[in-house]
Amino acid sequence: MDILNALVAFANFVFVPGLAYGAQIALGALGATLIYGILRFSNFAHGDTMALGTTFAILVTWGFQALGITFGFLPTALLALPFAIIMTAAFVLGTDRVVYRFYRRQKAAPTILVIVSLGVMFIMNGLNRFIIGVGEINFADGARFVITAGDFRAMTGLTEGLAIKATQAITVVTAVIVVGLLFWFLQKTRTGKSMRAFSDNEDLALLSGINPDRVVQVTWIIAAGLATIAGVLYGLDKSFKAFTYFQLLLPIFAAAVVGGLGNPLGAIAGGFIVAFSEVMVTYAWKKVLTYLVPESMAPDGLVQLMSTDYKFAVSFTILIIVLLFLPTGIFKGKSA
Amino acid sequence: MSTRINANPNSRSRTLLLFGLVAALFIGTGFVQSWNSSLGILNMALISAIMAMGVNLQWGYAGLFNVGIMGFVALGGLAVVLTSSTPLPDAWRAGGPGIVAGLALGAATIGVAVALYKRLPKGRLRTVVMLAVLVGGFFAYRAVFDPAVAAVEANNPAAHGNIGGLGLPVLLAWPMGGLLAAAAAWAIGKTALGLRSDYLAIATLGIAEIIIAVMKNEDWLARGVKNLIGLPRPVPYEVDLQKDADFLARAADWGVDPVTTSSIVVKLSYAGLFAAVLVAIVVLSELALKSPWGRMMRAIRDNEVSAEAMGKDVTRRHLQIFILGSAIVGIAGAMMTTLDGQLTPGTYNPLRFTFLVWVMVIVGGSGNNLGAVLGGFLIWWLWVMVEPIGLLLMDGITAGMADGSWLKAHLQDAAAHMRLLTMGIVLLLVLRFSPRGLIPEK
Amino acid sequence: MAEPFLIGENMTGGYGAVDILHGCTLAVEKGEIAVIVGPNGAGKSTAMKAVFGMLKLRGGAVRLAGEDITTLTPQARVAKGMAFVPQTQNIFTTMTVEENLEMGAFLRRDDIKGTMAQVYDLFPILKTKRYQAAGELSGGQRQQVAVGRALMTQPKVLMLDEPTAGVSPIVMDELFDRIIEVARTGISILMVEQNARQALEIAHKGYVLVQGSNRFTDTGQALMADPEVRRSFLGG
């Protein structure tokens, strides 16, 4: 029995990666859930919004790098983030003005809006390929590690090392700041409260003189910001590839639905539930178990419940279980 | 409605005109490019039209929002491999029974868990028992399944490593594709059809990804990403034709190049087969639509609540149409794999196999079979031709730029990505200005 | 006689092709209570919505303090000093009581603390529950939140669509008391009521609508005394 080493191995391969991935999914799900709460449709273009935002961030990053501007030990992309958010927000507001507003005024059914979002998804996807291509792009610079496995071993004298990548730390810190700001905005500001009011009861919000166009615009801006941040953090942590971002739609929707569509707090919880389940189900537990059981019982196989290629199956299974047994999500969402 | 009985002459001429336009596109391609490529596009267009019919059945007739089309297309392709690829007795002996037993065990576990959920009273006991059954069943399944898979995959991995097929004629694989897709649709429909429409969309999106993941990773099934090539064809091979004395004599008679002609003959044979399937499906769908069953379907679609109040079993009807539509997509998927002669799970992409089919249905006109067919032809043609047209356009734009300039190279590369952009714009334009499609529902 | 403060005159219209209102007239004086009663389907709520601009009129006009507001949107009417409490879904259930009141005052840019204090004086229970989600309150308390939200704009006219629907008789009496208090501060009140007898007791003016037109119009007292009204609409 070697609980300490087992814990470190667990932290290194499950907890830390799960935390970072969970934060990324949560930020993505927050954007999707806000759109659902205010505009009342599932935005299938959200994954591609994340990709487009990241593309903008990469372009600005390259620009900064060409000018010799860096951000010290932090990735230059963080410096580029505000610019990328502005560009993405402008783009998304443009799509609202040109595309969605028409259907909103018609009071179109949610399914029609979903199909419309498919069209927007195609355009964003194409545009993104047009701008930056389909290849894999690594744009992380700055320090690589907060702590390396070797340092950790030297420090603690344990056999197992705990490596924390700089991008993982940045993800978690950024996510905490962003979520804090978002909740402050929703709970304390007049505009934020009007968004919650609109999401809660649209007719009454109109009777109270809340301007729907303004609420919708602010929502798009926030969603674009969240999508860009989520996309950049994911890209820094792993790498950027437009198609992967499209596929993130599934865990993001799973997270939003698990937490209760339209409920921001739920989206965050959902993000971590989905991320940790995915990591835990696809992790080979052999290493951790070897430390925990007597040598004679050490497992032969990898003790992996499912191959990593089936990570979508995890999001999906959680989604189906929640939809069948708790249709409004763990936290109450709008879905009656 | 009376308009359905005396079909509006205006709408009929519009339909004719639109189909004439599409025909002109294909004929034009034949003249401008080559008949070979025109027929190549036509063959995939026929398959696309069938896929669009499947989606139209679900969305246009019943309002089911299925964005898992890709999964059913892939299952159709899998059916071709399992039905008509060469049998591998060694592989089967090594692990066949084990795999079947493992899968049966897995299915039984789920079956028992569902039965327990339905029988046992609600409470902690039920949760514990169900969990125990599921976890125990999972490990039992892995214990039986894993060694069998390893044994099969060890069988000549360079060339096979899969379980092999039944060696049956490939035309038989098409209905098999439909059956396989139908079986999957039954399982999916049983769990997910009660969900609200956008949840169904998210669920089906996920299922399609899972089906592709299984086909990519379960090498024993169809060699995964190593692909399975050399599937049998229902039509002669070009090389065989070129050796055939009769064929050569005829080509000489007509004064045409035997190589090109052999390829055209093969494509025409495919086109004939595909067109026969398409016509059969269109006729059957039209008959179904005009039957009491079809009228009930549309009544349900237009007002689920009142249909339910009138005693219609909405969920059951939805399940029926979900299975039927998916089966049609599965047939099309099998046809596509037959046409390709190989199964390449790595190339299935939801944009191409799910959302593009949706564009076909919406653009063509949901709720109208001819509309779906038209959408299939038109959008597929556009999908293929946008690239050369885009390249032509970019050549024009960049003509003034210096050779080797960064922007010029980038723009010319980017022409390849015009497709998605164009599809998005076409979809949005149709939704905005002709929301019921080019040939609206009657 | 001078024109009433708010008047919907000769209103004709409906939601679709069929008219529900046929030349219906409703009016209320400053600081008075006008009550609309009538059988189910008489168009009471529709008439109210017409006054508030939630329904397009094909004929007639709505005037507030002499100004023609027939073509204004409901939102614009809020800005003109009208407030409306719908019959159902009239609060933000996921928001606290205080946030509900703040949202009521959304259009105001001045200090709302005074008005909020007045609302809390009127409905003391709300003050004790100010940080609780409005959806967690009892039916009567929710109606208080709904009325409070509407009062936050400092309206000149308060329109209530069946404020006592689904609340107990005791709560109903209390709500009516509060409504009288509100009227005393100079706010005109126009309301639709199912509980015709109790409502007419506090009404300065009563309207009995039948099939979208005025059947009887008089003071609340006179209507209560009218044997025909009593027989047909007040259950004897």
Side-chain angles (χ1 to χ4, degrees):
Chain A
M1 280 278 267
D2 187 348
I3 291 176
L4 225 49
N5 270 316
L7 268 180
V8 173
F10 175 79
N12 191 32
F13 294 107
V14 178
F15 185 70
V16 172
L19 199 64
Y21 181 46
Q24 290 148 10
I25 295 296
L27 287 178
L30 265 176
T33 224
L34 279 179
I35 299 270
Y36 187 90
I38 303 286
L39 289 116
R40 298 170 213 278
F41 73 97
S42 309
N43 181 12
F44 271 66
H46 199 71
D48 285 297
T49 311
M50 283 169 65
L52 196 65
T54 314
T55 293
F56 288 145
I58 293 174
L59 292 182
V60 177
T61 302
W62 286 346
F64 278 142
Q65 285 169 342
L67 293 171
I69 302 170
T70 57
F71 203 13
F73 64 93
L74 291 172
T76 317
L78 285 188
L79 211 57
L81 203 48
F83 300 93
I85 291 174
I86 293 170
M87 290 158 86
T88 316
F91 185 90
V92 166
L93 284 177
T95 57
D96 183 68
R97 175 68 188 76
V98 178
V99 182
Y100 293 113
R101 198 177 73 169
F102 173 79
Y103 299 95
R104 194 163 56 246
R105 300 228 159 134
Q106 279 200 328
K107 300 206 183 301
T111 359
I112 299 299
L113 278 165
V114 173
I115 296 176
V116 170
S117 82
L118 293 181
V120 174
M121 174 192 84
F122 266 111
I123 290 181
M124 282 190 163
N125 202 304
L127 213 58
N128 209 25
R129 288 164 184 240
F130 207 85
I131 299 173
I132 209 158
V134 288
E136 196 164 331
I137 296 169
N138 267 303
F139 60 101
D141 53 6
R144 295 251 305 122
F145 286 98
V146 173
I147 182 166
T148 65
D151 289 346
F152 184 86
R153 281 194 210 99
M155 245 160 49
T156 56
L158 290 169
T159 350
E160 278 301 316
L162 173 63
I164 299 178
K165 287 197 290 178
T167 52
Q168 290 169 332
I170 290 168
T171 294
V172 174
V173 172
T174 314
V176 168
I177 295 173
V178 167
V179 168
L181 278 176
L182 178 69
F183 276 79
W184 169 81
F185 174 79
L186 288 177
Q187 296 296 330
K188 299 290 175 201
T189 67
R190 204 172 104 94
T191 311
K193 284 179 190 174
S194 72
M195 278 174 63
R196 281 166 54 219
F198 190 89
S199 161
D200 181 313
N201 188 335
E202 190 174 333
D203 292 332
L204 194 63
L206 294 178
L207 283 184
S208 306
I210 292 171
N211 179 352
D213 288 329
R214 195 178 139 76
V215 166
V216 165
Q217 279 165 6
V218 173
T219 307
W220 278 119
I221 293 172
I222 295 175
L226 288 167
T228 308
I229 295 169
V232 168
L233 292 176
Y234 185 87
L236 283 173
D237 195 19
K238 279 125 185 157
S239 70
F240 173 77
K241 198 175 175 215
F243 187 63
T244 324
Y245 280 59
F246 167 79
Q247 287 183 312
L248 281 180
L249 209 56
L250 195 59
I252 282 175
F253 273 133
V257 171
V258 166
L261 267 177
N263 183 325
L265 208 60
I268 297 171
F272 285 105
I273 291 173
V274 167
F276 276 110
S277 318
E278 214 171 87
V279 175
M280 287 184 11
V281 170
T282 55
Y283 173 64
W285 289 91
K286 178 181 177 139
K287 193 166 219 164
V288 175
L289 282 181
T290 313
Y291 283 117
L292 288 180
V293 296
E295 212 163 306
S296 57
M297 284 170 63
D300 298 324
L302 290 168
V303 204
Q304 185 183 18
L305 290 175
M306 260 190 219
S307 116
T308 40
D309 303 296
Y310 291 132
K311 59 181 186 208
F312 292 124
V314 180
S315 315
F316 176 76
T317 312
I318 298 173
L319 183 78
I320 287 292
I321 291 174
V322 168
L323 284 182
L324 291 181
F325 298 103
L326 293 165
T328 52
I330 296 171
F331 297 79
K332 249 194 153 47
K334 302 189 70 66
S335 24
Chain B
M1 267 179 276
S2 60
T3 45
R4 277 191 57 207
I5 300 160
N6 336 310
N8 186 346
N10 214 346
S11 86
R12 186 179 284 171
S13 61
R14 181 191 167 95
T15 308
L16 275 175
L17 185 78
L18 283 165
F19 271 100
L21 191 81
V22 166
L25 286 178
F26 280 91
I27 294 171
T29 312
F31 278 116
V32 175
Q33 282 197 326
S34 71
W35 289 101
N36 226 330
S37 55
S38 176
L39 281 172
I41 303 172
L42 178 68
N43 279 336
M44 257 324 286
L46 284 162
I47 293 174
S48 301
I50 296 175
M51 289 179 189
M53 294 271 305
V55 175
N56 182 40
L57 200 60
Q58 294 175 346
W59 169 246
Y61 288 12
L64 297 178
F65 199 2
N66 175 4
V67 286
I69 309 304
M70 169 178 77
F72 298 106
V73 174
L75 282 176
L78 180 63
V80 177
V81 172
L82 294 182
T83 312
S84 34
S85 70
T86 340
L88 299 170
D90 287 341
W92 181 253
R93 258 194 305 281
I99 285 180
V100 172
L103 290 177
L105 210 58
T109 304
I110 294 172
V112 169
V114 171
L116 282 174
Y117 181 79
K118 286 190 177 147
R119 299 271 159 76
L120 288 179
K122 202 171 170 170
R124 183 163 298 168
L125 178 75
R126 182 170 79 173
T127 317
V128 171
V129 172
M130 261 184 64
L131 271 181
V133 167
L134 285 173
V135 172
F138 179 75
F139 283 104
Y141 151 80
R142 288 286 298 257
V144 177
F145 188 70
D146 287 3
V149 165
V152 170
E153 290 181 358
N155 173 48
N156 190 5
H160 302 305
N162 63 324
I163 191 85
L166 298 171
L168 295 170
V170 71
L171 283 183
L172 209 62
W174 297 0
M176 285 301 288
L179 279 178
L180 193 60
W186 174 81
I188 297 163
K190 269 287 182 195
T191 39
L193 271 187
L195 303 176
R196 232 179 40 186
S197 62
D198 45 348
Y199 285 174
L200 180 66
I202 298 167
T204 47
L205 186 74
I207 287 163
E209 290 291 346
I210 292 172
I211 291 174
I212 299 300
V214 168
M215 285 177 53
K216 275 188 191 166
N217 295 295
E218 300 301 318
D219 286 5
W220 61 269
L221 198 58
R223 302 198 74 221
V225 286
K226 284 180 270 180
N227 300 342
L228 208 136
I229 55 168
L231 291 169
R233 321 165 41 152
V235 297
Y237 283 86
E238 288 87 343
V239 277
D240 293 336
L241 277 182
Q242 288 159 26
K243 281 186 224 144
D244 185 87
D246 210 32
F247 173 79
L248 287 174
R250 253 188 222 187
D253 253 14
W254 287 52
V256 288
D257 170 38
V259 177
T260 320
T261 313
S262 69
S263 157
I264 287 179
V265 166
V266 167
K267 289 205 169 81
L268 274 176
S269 325
Y270 270 124
L273 283 172
F274 293 164
V277 176
L278 176 65
V279 168
I281 291 179
V282 169
V283 169
L284 286 174
S285 296
E286 279 294 308
L287 286 177
L289 183 66
K290 299 212 166 86
S291 71
W293 181 83
R295 279 198 295 276
M296 177 177 62
M297 278 303 176
R298 288 199 287 185
I300 291 175
R301 179 198 63 187
D302 293 337
N303 194 338
E304 222 166 273
V305 179
S306 77
E308 197 146 31
M310 277 154 61
K312 312 284 184 214
D313 188 343
V314 173
T315 318
R316 211 179 124 79
R317 300 293 153 214
H318 277 177
L319 186 63
Q320 275 179 354
I321 209 150
F322 188 70
I323 291 176
L324 273 176
S326 302
I328 291 178
V329 174
I331 293 172
M335 289 160 60
M336 191 187 77
T337 301
T338 310
L339 178 67
D340 291 345
Q342 56 177 350
L343 182 68
T344 53
T347 56
Y348 287 85
N349 166 338
L351 287 171
R352 154 73 183 87
F353 285 100
T354 296
F355 297 117
L356 189 66
V357 182
W358 267 91
V359 176
M360 292 169 182
V361 174
I362 303 283
V363 168
S366 49
N368 186 319
N369 287 318
L370 288 181
V373 172
L374 179 87
F377 280 108
L378 186 65
I379 293 299
W380 181 255
W381 183 87
L382 198 62
W383 176 258
V384 177
M385 295 309 284
V386 156
E387 218 175 295
I389 293 172
L391 205 59
L392 218 63
L393 205 72
M394 284 302 169
D395 277 343
I397 291 174
T398 57
M401 297 184 192
D403 272 336
S405 99
W406 169 82
L407 191 62
K408 181 167 185 170
H410 184 81
L411 281 176
Q412 284 180 337
D413 283 349
H417 306 308
M418 293 279 281
R419 278 181 167 177
L420 295 167
L421 206 63
T422 315
M423 289 307 138
I425 291 169
V426 168
L427 179 62
L428 289 181
L429 285 178
V430 168
L431 275 173
R432 176 76 165 257
F433 298 107
S434 176
R436 298 173 64 214
L438 294 178
I439 309 181
E441 185 180 346
K442 278 168 268 184
Chain C
M1 195 174 126
E3 175 159 297
F5 183 61
L6 171 70
I7 181 163
E9 198 170 35
N10 216 2
M11 298 184 295
T12 301
Y15 298 101
V18 185
D19 285 342
I20 298 172
L21 301 177
H22 306 280
C24 167
T25 296
L26 302 170
V28 60
E29 299 287 348
K30 218 165 179 48
E32 291 196 346
I33 299 175
V35 172
I36 309 166
V37 298
N40 280 332
K44 302 187 296 281
S45 288
T46 310
M48 187 89 143
K49 285 179 178 158
V51 173
F52 201 67
M54 293 160 93
L55 147 88
K56 229 186 166 75
L57 286 183
R58 290 202 310 109
V62 183
R63 283 188 301 278
L64 179 70
E67 183 189 351
D68 191 331
I69 57 167
T70 315
T71 54
L72 292 187
T73 62
Q75 281 86 336
R77 291 179 206 220
V78 173
K80 290 273 177 205
M82 294 171 72
F84 182 70
V85 180
Q87 185 183 347
T88 53
Q89 299 187 321
N90 49 20
I91 56 167
F92 300 110
T93 50
T94 58
M95 303 178 84
T96 65
V97 170
E98 186 144 316
E99 284 172 337
N100 266 276
L101 299 184
E102 281 175 40
M103 286 301 108
F106 189 80
L107 281 177
R108 288 175 55 187
R109 287 291 180 173
D110 54 335
D111 191 16
I112 61 167
K113 285 211 184 74
T115 319
M116 201 175 277
Q118 282 171 7
V119 171
Y120 285 145
D121 283 346
L122 191 63
F123 303 118
I125 187 77
L126 296 189
K127 189 165 188 176
T128 63
K129 308 221 169 200
R130 62 207 285 185
Y131 300 123
Q132 218 167 314
E136 294 167 6
L137 304 184
S138 71
Q141 291 164 354
R142 288 163 72 126
Q143 290 296 3
Q144 297 184 5
V145 174
V147 174
R149 183 205 63 82
L151 288 174
M152 286 303 291
T153 47
Q154 292 182 311
K156 297 183 202 114
V157 180
L158 178 62
M159 299 173 58
L160 305 162
D161 192 354
E162 299 202 18
T164 63
V167 302
S168 70
I170 299 168
V171 175
M172 182 176 77
D173 285 346
E174 207 196 307
L175 260 173
F176 280 154
D177 285 347
R178 295 292 163 276
I179 289 168
I180 295 170
E181 266 183 65
V182 171
R184 284 201 185 116
T185 63
I187 297 174
S188 310
I189 293 187
L190 180 64
M191 68 175 177
V192 169
E193 256 303 328
Q194 277 296 356
N195 300 301
R197 195 178 278 272
Q198 291 87 338
L200 286 176
E201 263 171 28
I202 66 163
H204 296 96
K205 194 147 205 187
Y207 294 91
V208 180
L209 293 197
V210 176
Q211 292 185 340
S213 27
N214 299 56
R215 176 65 59 89
F216 300 97
T217 306
D218 212 326
T219 64
Q221 294 299 332
L223 286 176
M224 295 277 287
D226 185 326
E228 206 185 331
V229 173
R230 290 175 70 98
R231 198 173 49 246
S232 312
F233 303 106
L234 303 176

